C-alpha cells in the first residue's frame, strides 16, 4: 500500500505551492505519486467545487455545504486515492478530512462528532499517514491572499471562503491546531510564515522519513 500525505492550512498558507514542490521532489527521486486536491480531484468533484466556491445570490446552507464536501470526498477516495494507494503510489492531497473539521466544524459551527462520522463514511475510514499543517497568523495569510488576487488583476472577491472575515479564518486556524494536538503522531505543524525554500526543505525531510527515502 502507498502512503497518503495531506496538506492543510488556512487560505494563503502556501500549502498548494508546497504540495507542487513535494511532487517535484518525488519525481526527481522517481517515486511514483499522485498529486491531487479537494474539492475537485475528479471530474465529478470539479462540478461540486464550482458550486462550493462560487459566490452566488443563493448561498448554500452550512449543512448543504458540508454534505457537498462529503460527496466530493467519497468520489475522490473511490476514483483517485484508493486506486493510487493500491498501486503502491504516494498520494499528495491538497486538503482532506481535517479541512472539514476546521472549516465546517470550527468555522461554521457544525457538530464536530457528526463531521467525524461523515468523514469516516465518505472515506471508508481511510486516514492520512501524515498530515502537514502549514500554520501562520491569519493577518499574514490574508495579506498574501490579497496580494495574490491583485497580482492576478482581480479585485472583487468571488471565492466564498476567501471572502469570509478574519474572525472566520481565526476559528479555522484554531480548529486545525486542535486537530493537530489531538493526533500529534499524524500531524506535523510547519511554520508557514518562513521563506518557501525553508519550508520546502522541512517538507522534504518529513516525506523522506515517512517514505524511508
Ligand atoms: P483551496 O483553497 O485549498 O482550493 O480549497 C477550497 C476551499 O474549500 C477552501 O477555502 C477551504 C474549503 N474547504 C472546506 O471548507 N471544507 C473542506 O472539507 C475542504 C476540502 C475545503
Amino acid at each position: 500500500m502507498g502512503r497518503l500525505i495531506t496538506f492543510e492550512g488556512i487560505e494563503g498558507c502556501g500549502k498548494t505551492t508546497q504540495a507542487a514542490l513535494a511532487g517535484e521532489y518525488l519525481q526527481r527521486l522517481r517515486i511514483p505519486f499522485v498529486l491531487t486536491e479537494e474539492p475537485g480531484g475528479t471530474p465529478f468533484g470539479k462540478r461540486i467545487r464550482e458550486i462550493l466556491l462560487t459566490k452566488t445570490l443563493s448561498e448554500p446552507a452550512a449543512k448543504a455545504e458540508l454534505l457537498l464536501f462529503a460527496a466530493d470526498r467519497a468520489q475522490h477516495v473511490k476514483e483517485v486515492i484508493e486506486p493510487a494507494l493500491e498501486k503502491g503510489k504516494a498520494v499528495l492531497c491538497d486538503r482532506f478530512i481535517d479541512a472539514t473539521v476546521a472549516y465546517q466544524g470550527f468555522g461554521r459551527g457544525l457538530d464536530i462528532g457528526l463531521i467525524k462520522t461523515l468523514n469516516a463514511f465518505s472515506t471508508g475510514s481511510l486516514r492520512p499517514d501524515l498530515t502537514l499543517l502549514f500554520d501562520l497568523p491569519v493577518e499574514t495569510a490574508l495579506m498574501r491572499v490579497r496580494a495574490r488576487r491583485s497580482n492576478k488583476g482581480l479585485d472583487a472577491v468571488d471565492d466564498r471562503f476567501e471572502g469570509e472575515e478574519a474572525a472566520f479564518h481565526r476559528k479555522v486556524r484554531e480548529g486545525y491546531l486542535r486537530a493537530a494536538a489531538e493526533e500529534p503522531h499524524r500531524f506535523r505543524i510547519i511554520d508557514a510564515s518562513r521563506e518557501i525554500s525553508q519550508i520546502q526543505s522541512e517538507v522534504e525531510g518529513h516525506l523522506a522519513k515517512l517514505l524511508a527515502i
Side-chain angles (χ1 to χ4, degrees):
M1 277 297 269
R3 298 302 184 118
L4 173 59
I5 302 126
T6 58
F7 291 68
E8 297 278 7
I10 59 174
E11 325 291 315
C13 70
K15 67 183 169 43
T16 305
T17 303
Q18 291 299 333
L21 290 169
E24 288 172 18
Y25 172 65
L26 296 185
Q27 180 109 49
R28 280 198 301 279
L29 296 168
R30 302 196 192 292
I31 292 174
F33 73 96
V34 167
L35 173 60
T36 187
E37 65 168 357
E38 289 193 1
T42 62
F44 178 74
K46 284 200 170 41
R47 289 155 65 198
I48 299 181
R49 181 181 174 95
E50 168 90 26
I51 297 173
L52 278 167
L53 301 195
T54 313
K55 257 192 188 170
T56 61
L57 289 176
S58 74
E59 285 288 289
K63 288 180 188 174
E65 179 184 278
L66 168 66
L67 293 170
L68 284 177
F69 279 113
D72 169 77
R73 183 161 303 131
Q75 186 73 21
H76 190 214
V77 167
K78 182 167 186 290
E79 198 176 316
V80 176
I81 301 181
E82 265 177 4
L85 293 174
E86 277 161 18
K87 286 187 192 127
K89 295 184 181 176
V91 176
L92 306 176
C93 190
D94 187 344
R95 297 201 188 279
F96 195 56
I97 48 174
D98 302 300
T100 316
V101 171
Y103 280 81
Q104 280 62 52
F106 283 77
R108 301 275 191 238
L110 294 177
D111 184 80
I112 309 277
L114 172 81
I115 291 176
K116 288 187 176 172
T117 304
L118 201 51
N119 277 345
F121 175 69
S122 45
T123 60
S125 297
L126 174 71
R127 297 180 70 75
D129 296 287
L130 175 68
T131 297
L132 303 175
L133 172 57
F134 296 86
D135 182 59
L136 80 175
V138 166
E139 290 67 29
T140 320
L142 292 183
M143 255 158 45
R144 285 189 189 173
V145 171
R146 275 192 288 273
R148 187 165 68 196
R149 299 194 68 80
S150 74
N151 285 345
K152 284 188 192 160
L154 303 168
D155 29 81
V157 182
D158 55 2
D159 180 302
R160 288 184 47 244
F161 290 93
E162 283 184 10
E164 287 287 348
E165 290 175 359
F168 175 84
H169 297 288
R170 266 186 216 108
K171 286 191 250 175
V172 173
R173 182 185 186 202
E174 171 66 20
Y176 272 128
L177 289 171
R178 292 256 198 108
E182 270 178 27
E183 287 183 77
H185 53 283
R186 170 163 72 90
F187 276 87
R188 300 289 174 275
I189 301 176
I190 294 177
D191 174 1
S193 60
R194 294 170 298 163
E195 292 294 316
I196 290 182
S197 59
Q198 284 178 300
I199 302 170
Q200 180 185 2
S201 352
E202 186 176 345
V203 169
E204 290 179 359
H206 292 310
L207 292 182
K209 204 163 169 204
L210 178 77
L211 302 172
I213 295 166

